[in-house]
């Protein structure tokens, strides 16, 4: 199975900050990575697919990059609504696997 | 507008069965792989099962293989998950999602396995 390891597990930041979340795959997965945002009590929301393509309707403050084993999600100019938990996921092979999540909190 | 609406969750005893449904609208259901993903209370996301557009291919996580069955009815725009021999560790919110990139998610339905 392909393991997806996110870092950090939690992150404190202030409104207006720029933050980066990292996801490392246990083997090369080309660009078959998606990123999701989840707020408490809500379903996850798709942000990015193909490592760097923004889903329709997602603001450009979100960006993704990477290929192979190392991937990043960057959020610029944090706003109160961006504080949530973020997950990466690989979809190149079964079982589909998610990272453990990164909780982004307000400092 | 794409909508996925799950139903069928509830409280069930260990060893029991439950059937989840997901009603899809706002897109051509028969053109997409459909997927179930679950999330145990306070935990991360776990992929459960996939089904191909025509139902000819079904793929399961090892944790549910042999106990859960994914199916679909394209005429009714509906996805199903038959869950048998339920265990306490199956307790979770179950989401249906569209495609392997999960571009749309339902609101989820809670399954609680407890005596």
């Amino acid at each position: 199975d392909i393991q997806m390891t996110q870092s950090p597990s939690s992150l404190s930041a202030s409104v207006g900050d720029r933050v980066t979340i990292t996801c490392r795959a246990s083997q090369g997965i080309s660009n078959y990575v998606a990123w999701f945002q989840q707020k408490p009590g809500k379903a996850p929301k798709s942000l990015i697919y193909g490592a760097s393509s923004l889903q329709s309707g997602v603001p450009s403050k979100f960006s993704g990059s990477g290929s192979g084993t190392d991937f990043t999600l960057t959020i610029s100019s944090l706003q109160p609504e961006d504080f949530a938990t973020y997950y990466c996921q690989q979809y190149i092979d079964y079982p589909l696997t998610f990272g453990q999540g990164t909780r982004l909190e307000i400092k | 507008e794409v909508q996925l609406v799950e139903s069928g969750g509830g409280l069930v005893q260990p060893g029991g069965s439950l059937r989840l449904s997901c009603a899809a609208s706002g897109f051509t259901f028969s053109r997409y792989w459909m997927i179930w993903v679950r999330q145990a209370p306070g935990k991360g996301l776990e992929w459960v099962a996939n089904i191909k557009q025509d139902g000819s291919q079904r793929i399961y996580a090892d944790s549910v293989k042999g106990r859960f069955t994914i199916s679909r009815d394209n005429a009714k725009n509906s996805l199903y998950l038959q869950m048998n021999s339920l265990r306490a560790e199956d307790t979770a919110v179950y989401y249906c999602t569209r495609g392997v990139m999960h571009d749309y998610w339902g609101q989820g339905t809670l399954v609680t396995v407890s005596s």
Side-chain angles (χ1 to χ4, degrees), chain B residues 5-105:
Chain B
V5 180
E6 301 94 337
S7 60
L11 175 63
V12 60
Q13 292 189 337
S17 298
L18 212 53
R19 189 195 196 207
L20 306 183
S21 299
C22 173
S25 61
F27 65 101
T28 305
F29 181 73
S30 60
R31 291 184 180 175
Y32 290 87
W33 280 80
M34 294 297 295
I35 299 177
W36 288 99
V37 173
R38 68 184 180 183
Q39 186 171 36
K43 302 297 184 182
L45 301 168
E46 180 189 14
W47 166 73
V48 173
N50 278 23
I51 186 167
K52 197 175 179 180
Q53 291 91 330
D54 61 359
S56 62
Q57 191 173 357
R58 309 175 195 206
I59 309 168
Y60 298 92
D62 285 347
S63 59
V64 306
K65 200 174 295 182
R67 301 187 298 122
F68 290 12
T69 301
I70 188 171
S71 62
R72 64 192 297 162
D73 185 337
N74 287 343
K76 294 183 178 179
N77 292 335
S78 292
L79 176 71
Y80 305 101
L81 187 67
Q82 177 67 42
M83 304 186 296
N84 298 331
S85 302
L86 282 161
R87 306 166 180 167
E89 54 264 36
D90 296 318
T91 293
V93 174
Y94 285 74
Y95 297 101
C96 71
T97 77
R98 188 179 83 166
V100 292
M101 293 179 285
H102 315 290
D103 57 354
Y104 288 94
W105 297 64

Side-chain angles (χ1 to χ4, degrees), chain A:
Chain A
D1 298 2
I2 298 172
Q3 308 301 319
M4 301 295 284
T5 304
Q6 285 182 236
S7 60
S9 296
S10 62
L11 176 60
S12 293
S14 300
V15 172
D17 284 354
R18 178 175 183 265
V19 299
T20 296
I21 298 168
T22 296
C23 185
R24 175 163 289 177
S26 59
Q27 64 190 71
I29 57 173
S30 184
N31 66 335
Y32 289 84
V33 165
W35 289 94
F36 305 92
Q37 176 195 65
Q38 187 178 32
K39 297 180 181 179
K42 300 294 187 182
K45 174 187 174 184
S46 176
L47 299 175
I48 286 171
Y49 64 97
S52 59
S53 297
L54 221 55
Q55 282 287 2
S56 176
V58 174
S60 58
K61 63 190 300 181
F62 293 94
S63 63
S65 66
S67 183
T69 59
D70 294 315
F71 303 88
T72 60
L73 172 70
T74 299
I75 312 169
S76 61
S77 188
L78 281 172
Q79 296 302 304
E81 61 269 22
D82 300 327
F83 292 92
T85 299
Y86 292 85
Y87 294 93
C88 62
Q89 182 228 343
Q90 65 81 17
Y91 55 95
I92 196 171
D93 195 16
Y94 292 99
L96 306 179
T97 47
F98 292 87
Q100 80 279 13
T102 294
R103 186 176 179 182
L104 177 57
E105 301 174 318
I106 298 177
K107 185 182 291 184

